[in-house]
């Protein structure tokens, strides 16, 4: 839903001109709303997505999808983690700073679009388990044999990166927040049933066990972290700048599933080489409905409007405008599962191709 907010203008001018501004010529806050397509919603449940889980996911085109290399085929390779982030909320913002020119005063503007949904963790767990099974199958089809992690540790010592952190479970969500540019996203951290994830800090998974990195490299042993990210909204922002050049602020959040990576998509532990996506993977289809549930619009606030009018009449000072829109996202269970699995299967195939 796109939202545009413009700061109001002020100038030192005759009283009649100022009255015309106060009557509406300069107080308007243009809003461009993009209507969400109607989506029939079946609530998320494991039962509702069973037909999707039983079908074979069909990946999208993987040509040119990855940047980097995974030179690990032929090594004793195990998967340390298959970590999936699923977005549950976010916000995107834009703003302009007040600007001043001789005889003209441009007010500031800001807009913030926030959205959130409540996906069923048990359903997402079933989707991730199915995606993990698909990953193992595609690796086998590519001729890549995956070792048992515990057997590797028993023979070669501790992991370079220990997977010690629990992922989300029904009734026990684990979240991670990411700030990128003019938007923020909050994710559920998911992993296949029984699998833990590698702890991460500001710099990612860090240096790890240096001694074991050397030992694993000499022995031809490699661990692999696979970390796809599922966004449920496409974010757009006009950014920030002076109101002299940008007469308004525009922010947009619309339901669109996109698979991307935060950092590295797949990374080796000993060798540390990895791959990232060159573009987002966008499974086609409508999977959720957005509805407005709250917010604030300064142009409809009588106190703010009165202050802006007085500022113009008395001082010729421009007023500031702001708008916040709060959206709820309702997920259609079967379609969400289908698109997520298609996107994850695409990532799985791309990683398997990189290891050939």
């Amino acid at each position: 839903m796109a939202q545009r907010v413009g700061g109001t203008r002020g100038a030192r001018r005759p009283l009649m001109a100022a009255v015309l501004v106060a009557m509406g010529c300069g107080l308007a806050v243009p809003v461009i709303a993009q209507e969400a397509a109607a989506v029939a919603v079946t609530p998320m449940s494991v039962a509702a997505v069973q037909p999707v889980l039983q079908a074979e996911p069909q990946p999208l085109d993987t040509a040119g999808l990855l940047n980097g290399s995974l030179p690990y085929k032929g090594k004793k390779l195990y998967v340390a983690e298959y970590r999936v982030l699923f977005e549950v909320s976010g916000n995107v913002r834009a703003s302009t700073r007040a600007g001043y020119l001789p005889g003209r005063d441009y007010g500031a503007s800001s807009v913030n679009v926030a959205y959130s949904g409540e996906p069923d963790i048990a359903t997402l767990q079933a989707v991730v388990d199915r995606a993990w099974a698909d990953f193992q199958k595609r690796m086998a089809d590519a001729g890549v044999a995956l070792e048992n992690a515990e057997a590797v540790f028993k023979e070669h010592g501790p992991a370079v990166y220990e997977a010690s952190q629990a992922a989300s479970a029904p009734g026990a969500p684990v979240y991670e927040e990411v700030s990128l540019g003019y938007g923020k996203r909050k994710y559920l951290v998911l992993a296949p049933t029984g699998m833990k994830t590698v702890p991460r800090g500001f710099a990612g998974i860090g240096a790890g066990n240096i001694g074991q990195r050397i030992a694993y490299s000499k022995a031809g042993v490699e661990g692999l972290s696979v970390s796809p990210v599922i966004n449920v909204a496409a974010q757009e922002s006009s950014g920030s700048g002076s109101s002299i050049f940008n007469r308004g602020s525009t922010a947009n959040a619309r339901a669109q599933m996109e698979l991307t990576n935060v950092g590295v998509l797949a990374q080796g532990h000993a060798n540390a080489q990895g791959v990232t996506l060159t573009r987002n993977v966008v499974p086609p289809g409508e999977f959720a409905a957005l509805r407005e549930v709250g917010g604030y619009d300064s142009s409809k606030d009588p106190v703010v409007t009165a202050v802006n009018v007085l500022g113009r009449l008395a001082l010729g000072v421009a007023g500031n405008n702001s708008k916040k829109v709060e959206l709820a996202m309702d997920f259609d269970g079967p379609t969400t599962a289908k698109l997520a699995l298609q996107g994850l299967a695409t990532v799985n195939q791309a990683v398997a191709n990189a290891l050939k």
Side-chain angles (χ1 to χ4, degrees):
M1 181 173 291
Q3 301 291 334
R4 179 177 173 84
V5 174
T8 57
R9 276 187 316 195
R12 301 186 183 280
R13 62 188 73 183
L15 178 60
M16 181 54 68
V19 170
L20 289 175
V21 171
M23 290 173 63
C25 298
L27 290 179
V29 180
V31 175
I32 304 171
Q34 178 178 321
E35 295 296 332
V39 178
V41 172
T42 299
M44 273 193 179
S45 71
V46 176
V49 303
Q50 277 305 309
V52 176
L53 300 178
Q54 292 168 6
E56 189 72 24
Q58 300 300 313
L60 301 169
D61 181 24
T62 61
L65 185 59
L66 298 183
N67 179 48
S69 62
L70 295 171
Y72 306 135
K73 188 172 183 180
K75 291 192 175 185
K76 189 175 288 187
L77 179 68
Y78 72 94
V79 176
E81 60 176 349
Y82 186 85
R83 176 179 181 265
V84 178
L85 300 185
F86 188 93
E87 187 182 16
V88 294
S89 66
N91 71 77
V92 58
R93 62 193 184 281
S95 63
T96 58
R97 302 182 302 275
Y100 306 93
L101 289 173
R104 186 73 66 182
D105 184 356
Y106 296 94
S109 69
S110 66
V111 59
N112 189 309
V113 178
Y115 55 90
S116 63
E118 296 183 2
D120 179 61
I121 294 179
T123 303
L124 294 180
Q125 183 67 64
V127 170
V128 171
D129 287 345
R130 179 68 181 87
W132 170 236
D134 177 81
F135 177 86
Q136 295 174 88
K137 181 180 183 300
R138 293 184 190 278
M139 295 289 276
D141 291 345
V144 180
L146 296 178
E147 302 287 334
N148 177 272
E150 293 302 324
V152 170
F153 302 153
K154 185 176 181 180
E155 181 178 357
H156 298 281
V160 177
Y161 296 98
E162 181 184 0
S164 59
Q165 201 163 61
S168 297
V174 176
Y175 296 108
E176 180 171 312
E177 294 190 20
V178 176
S179 180
L180 298 169
Y182 294 98
K184 291 185 178 180
R185 298 182 189 269
K186 183 177 180 179
Y187 298 97
L188 271 173
V189 180
L190 299 158
T193 301
M195 181 183 287
K196 293 186 177 181
T197 65
V198 175
R200 285 163 169 78
F202 177 78
I205 59 178
N209 186 321
I210 302 299
Q212 283 302 101
R213 185 190 300 277
I214 297 171
Y216 273 38
S217 295
K218 288 181 177 179
V221 177
E222 188 58 86
L224 188 67
S225 284
V226 182
S227 307
V229 176
I230 301 176
N231 293 337
V232 297
Q235 296 184 354
E236 298 171 5
S237 169
S238 60
S240 63
S242 171
S243 59
I244 296 174
F245 306 105
N246 301 315
R247 300 300 168 80
S249 306
T250 304
N252 185 28
R254 53 191 170 83
Q256 178 175 295
M257 190 172 292
E258 305 173 327
L259 276 84
T260 185
N261 47 251
V262 175
V264 182
L265 174 67
Q267 177 179 343
H269 287 189
N271 185 270
Q273 286 183 263
V275 294
T276 57
L277 291 170
T278 59
R279 62 181 185 272
N280 287 347
V281 176
V282 184
E286 298 174 345
F287 66 97
L290 284 170
R291 51 190 172 85
E292 192 167 336
V293 294
Y296 171 77
D297 188 342
S298 64
S299 69
K300 298 178 181 178
D301 186 323
V303 174
V304 174
T305 300
V307 170
N308 284 344
V309 170
L310 289 174
R312 283 176 181 75
L313 292 174
L315 302 173
V317 176
N320 300 325
N321 281 312
S322 64
K323 185 177 180 68
K324 180 176 182 179
V325 179
E326 297 174 355
L327 304 170
M329 180 173 284
D330 300 319
F331 296 100
D332 177 67
T335 310
T336 300
K338 178 182 177 181
L339 299 190
L341 273 174
Q342 185 175 38
L344 290 169
T346 303
V347 169
N348 292 346
Q349 188 61 59
V351 173
N353 291 344
L355 283 160
K356 284 185 177 181

